[in-house]
Amino acid sequence: MPNYSQRSKDKLSSCDQKLQDIFNEIIKHVDCTIITGHRGKEEQNEMHRTGKSQLQFPDGKHNSDPSRAVDAAPYPIDWKDRERATLFAGYVIGIARMQGFTLRWGGDWDRDWQVNDNKFDDFPHFELK
Ligand SMILES: [Zn+2]
């Protein structure tokens, strides 16, 4: 059974308990990494400046403390593999729903189950609704 590195555990611990519950279940089934949990002011504004986020501090879901968003990706990481990202996202969203939680994914912001109409792709991003 896969498990998180200490680095992933530390990042996940900066997230809302609901996200911790979801991703502590996910790791039992899919080897993945937690890329980002809480994000502070400097880091958020740098992400915005470089076009990796559309939001400035404190408007991002990563900016609340604990974080209402988490960035995660399955191993092996391939940022260009939309199909694989979509498979992982469907799995994560399903596990969350089984636990009673609703997530919004960065590959389907409007949650219409159409992934080809997504204007701004942020595949690792999951946030609590
Ligand atoms: Zn994110």
Side-chain angles (χ1 to χ4, degrees):
M1 192 166 90
N3 50 57
Y4 288 124
S5 66
Q6 189 59 48
R7 190 166 165 277
S8 281
K9 285 179 189 169
D10 291 346
K11 290 182 184 297
L12 189 56
S13 71
S14 71
C15 297
D16 187 286
Q17 186 63 51
K18 293 174 186 142
L19 290 172
Q20 294 189 42
D21 290 350
I22 294 162
F23 279 88
N24 281 328
E25 183 63 30
I26 296 297
I27 192 64
K28 294 177 186 172
H29 312 277
V30 187
D31 195 11
C32 61
T33 182
I34 304 296
I35 300 158
T36 310
H38 174 72
R39 193 181 287 147
K41 184 174 181 178
E42 278 184 27
E43 197 183 349
Q44 181 67 40
N45 289 342
E46 175 67 11
M47 293 282 291
H48 180 260
R49 198 183 62 76
T50 55
K52 291 174 185 156
S53 173
Q54 296 191 303
L55 302 172
Q56 286 186 284
F57 188 88
D59 299 333
K61 289 282 198 314
H62 288 281
N63 302 148
S64 62
D65 192 9
S67 179
R68 299 271 301 162
V70 64
D71 295 344
Y75 287 119
I77 291 174
D78 179 354
W79 302 117
K80 292 190 166 63
D81 193 341
R82 171 184 279 274
E83 281 190 63
R84 195 146 180 280
T86 303
L87 174 64
F88 181 65
Y91 198 87
V92 170
I93 291 165
I95 290 282
R97 181 59 60 88
M98 294 296 283
Q99 294 183 339
F101 309 132
T102 301
L103 291 180
R104 185 163 76 145
W105 172 50
D108 182 26
W109 292 107
D110 59 5
R111 297 194 300 142
D112 66 353
W113 285 79
Q114 303 294 321
V115 294
N116 294 326
D117 68 350
N118 204 48
K119 300 282 192 294
F120 180 84
D121 289 333
D122 189 0
F123 295 149
H125 181 94
F126 297 90
E127 64 183 39
L128 291 166
K129 284 301 291 177

